[in-house]
Amino acid sequence: MEYLVNSREMKTCDTNTIEHFKVPSMVLMERAALSAIEVIQEKEISCNRVLVVCGTGNNGGDGMAIARLLYLSHIPVEVYIYGNKAHFSKQAKEQYEILTSYGVPFIDEMEDANSYSLIIDALFGIGLSRKLDDELVHLMERLNQSSAHRLAVDIPSGISADNGAVLGGAFKADDTVTFAYCKTGMVLFPGAEYCGNITVKDIGIGEESWLDKRPAAYAITKEDLNFLNNRAADSNKGTFGKVLLVAGSVNMAGAAVLAAKAAYRSGCGLVRIYTPEENRIILQTAVPEAILTTYSAKKADTQQLIECLSWADVIILGPGIGKSDVAHSIVKTVLKNAAVPMVVDADALNIIAEQTEQLLRPHTELVLTPHLGEMSRLKQLAISYIKENIEQVAEDFAREYNVICVLKDSRTVTAIPYGKTFINRNGNSGMATAGSGDVLSGIIGSLMAQGLSAEQAAPLGVYVHAAAADERSKTVSKHGLTAGEIINGLSEVLS
């Protein structure tokens, strides 16, 4: 797992390193500057003429240290200071005095930004919490319009390190070099669009600097998929779990097909589909591996459904079931009688939104996978508000109903009640396609059936789902990516 930190957490680590471990702030600043130089060299960024735009805080101090290192390497560099020099932080003032002693050139007025090959943004760093004024917004616009390569130091100026919000305007970087840990606001949109390629550099702030605390947010990485190697050689179809998929309605068999295929392709042993009789031929043709239990679209057999529930190790409830009276009855029956972990998705969420207290009744683990529209209905919140506060909304919902909330968006957030929060970093725009959510439900349910806890399966399932989409987009392109192609990508990821 990778830590994702907000501004408060990063400042705490920084302070602990300086005060508890006695590492001088100027040492950290020098290491940050060296790290930025490494990135410039590693990426072979043109340094024919460099402009370093500095603020008066410690981020500006980082920028001035970078300027000195470039100058001492005989690279043409100029420094533009924005702000009142009387307000320099202690370290920024020291760096300014060092630059002055070396004779590094400062400019009072910025020339045509296109005259530079590299522009380095060291204005604000992670501490910015207010909106930029009109003068700063104009400065950002001038820098962004330049043909120069743009490098941000720690985080692009104008981006909130906490939630990725654009604070009036922001520097749009081609590359961002950040220190110690990736910041949450660099992963969430729209901030992610302003960071370009992100490089995380170690400057001496490590695990020890947390002391007795840890961050709230994490990202799954490829190394977390090692559990896939724990598949027993001496096994049978029952070994890898039984998934009951309550899915589909008349003329809506596709969701059941996609979720079932995804569950099988993710490794579970058996999938049983509880669906209307009208879907029998379609499902037997599309997913011959599945067991079918069908019911009348006019009235479901409650006892039959309860028997199916008792058969399962995991239940996936909701893909394509519609919002008919029968669907309402099925959701109520499942929530009341389920004794195994559940993934609740799609139409089941829309039904539950009419009476959310139903979520407080089950005595089993629940994983809810709403997209922004479904969460809007569940919480009666505007989609725009949810999108701007996606991490907080997911965490609040998870705690309120004691469920694992997988809030789907371009950066899906998985919140464990009173536990960790995961922000998914992989995936692509091709996933914005019909049926993609049904595939995710199948993956998460399958992983749970194979023995993973809901807390493990939910964030790992999100990662695997996105990784499969990334693999298939290399072949079919993001434009041509379909839910079926994501299922095909599972084989490539899980192999």
Side-chain angles (χ1 to χ4, degrees), residues 6 20 34 44 79 103 138-139 141 187 209 269-270 281 286 310 326 330 379 394 416 443 450 456 472 474 492-493:
N6 57 35
H20 184 86
L34 285 167
E44 299 181 343
V79 179
H138 179 63
L139 174 60
E141 290 172 349
V187 174
S209 296
L270 288 165
I281 294 175
S310 65
V326 174
I330 289 172
K379 287 297 296 176
I416 313 297
I443 295 170
Q450 293 171 69
Q456 294 172 310
R472 289 308 297 161
K474 296 174 185 176
E492 300 170 45
V493 172

Side-chain angles (χ1 to χ4, degrees), residues 9-325:
E9 291 168 337
M10 192 64 244
K11 287 176 184 176
T12 297
C13 282
D14 193 61
T15 300
N16 290 344
T17 304
I18 296 166
E19 296 182 358
H20 184 86
F21 293 105
K22 312 303 180 184
V23 179
S25 178
M26 286 293 280
V27 170
L28 298 177
M29 189 170 284
E30 289 298 314
R31 292 195 64 176
L34 285 167
S35 296
I37 297 296
E38 287 175 4
V39 170
I40 293 169
Q41 293 172 340
E42 289 164 1
K43 294 180 176 286
E44 299 181 343
I45 299 171
S46 173
C47 292
N48 291 334
R49 188 183 181 199
V50 181
L51 173 67
V52 186
V53 183
C54 300
T56 56
N58 281 359
N59 191 244
D62 292 340
M64 284 183 269
I66 294 168
R68 169 170 42 85
L69 294 174
L70 292 171
Y71 179 81
L72 293 176
S73 296
H74 309 293
I75 291 172
V77 59
E78 298 168 6
V79 179
Y80 175 69
I81 304 289
Y82 183 90
N84 189 337
K85 295 183 180 67
H87 297 155
F88 271 142
S89 68
K90 179 183 176 182
Q91 289 76 27
K93 182 178 180 182
E94 290 178 14
Q95 293 289 359
Y96 177 76
E97 291 171 349
I98 293 170
L99 282 189
T100 302
S101 299
Y102 272 107
V104 176
F106 290 85
I107 59 172
D108 295 324
E109 293 292 333
M110 192 172 64
E111 299 178 19
D112 178 12
N114 286 311
S115 64
Y116 299 97
S117 64
L118 170 62
I119 296 175
I120 299 174
D121 161 36
L123 271 168
F124 295 115
I126 64 171
L128 185 68
S129 58
R130 60 177 175 82
K131 283 197 170 187
L132 304 185
D133 59 28
D134 291 343
E135 184 178 358
L136 275 167
V137 171
H138 179 63
L139 174 60
M140 294 296 106
E141 290 172 349
R142 287 184 64 192
L143 297 176
N144 291 340
Q145 289 167 4
S146 170
S147 58
H149 192 98
R150 295 184 294 276
L151 174 70
V153 178
D154 212 9
I155 192 170
S157 293
I159 296 297
S160 166
D162 297 332
N163 61 10
V166 177
L167 300 173
F171 184 79
K172 196 169 182 63
D174 298 300
D175 282 282
T176 297
V177 55
T178 195
F179 310 121
Y181 304 106
C182 190
K183 315 308 183 284
T184 304
M186 298 168 65
V187 174
L188 295 173
F189 285 94
E193 292 182 306
Y194 284 77
C195 292
N197 299 306
I198 299 170
T199 303
V200 181
K201 285 288 189 177
D202 176 18
I203 61 169
I205 299 174
E207 194 74 19
E208 298 82 4
S209 296
W210 289 96
L211 298 181
D212 58 343
K213 296 182 179 180
R214 287 296 180 274
Y218 300 78
I220 295 293
T221 62
K222 187 177 181 179
E223 289 69 29
D224 295 308
L225 300 185
N226 289 333
F227 75 92
L228 295 172
N229 296 322
N230 301 327
R231 196 169 172 92
D234 182 18
S235 56
N236 57 63
K237 61 188 175 185
T239 306
F240 302 118
K242 299 177 289 186
V243 174
L244 174 65
L245 174 59
V246 181
S249 55
V250 178
N251 296 324
M252 283 291 288
V257 171
L258 292 167
K261 283 187 172 183
Y264 269 127
R265 196 65 65 88
S266 300
C268 71
L270 288 165
V271 176
R272 186 174 195 166
I273 307 175
Y274 185 74
T275 194
E277 174 62 29
E278 287 83 350
N279 293 336
R280 177 181 295 277
I281 294 175
I282 296 171
L283 290 170
Q284 285 179 330
T285 302
V287 198
E289 304 91 342
I291 304 166
L292 289 188
T293 299
T294 61
Y295 61 90
S296 168
K298 295 181 179 179
K299 183 180 169 79
D301 184 331
T302 300
Q303 188 57 42
Q304 179 192 48
L305 177 54
I306 291 174
E307 290 173 2
C308 290
L309 297 177
S310 65
W311 170 88
D313 296 316
V314 170
I315 300 162
I316 301 172
L317 171 65
I321 63 172
K323 290 185 64 180
S324 66
D325 290 343

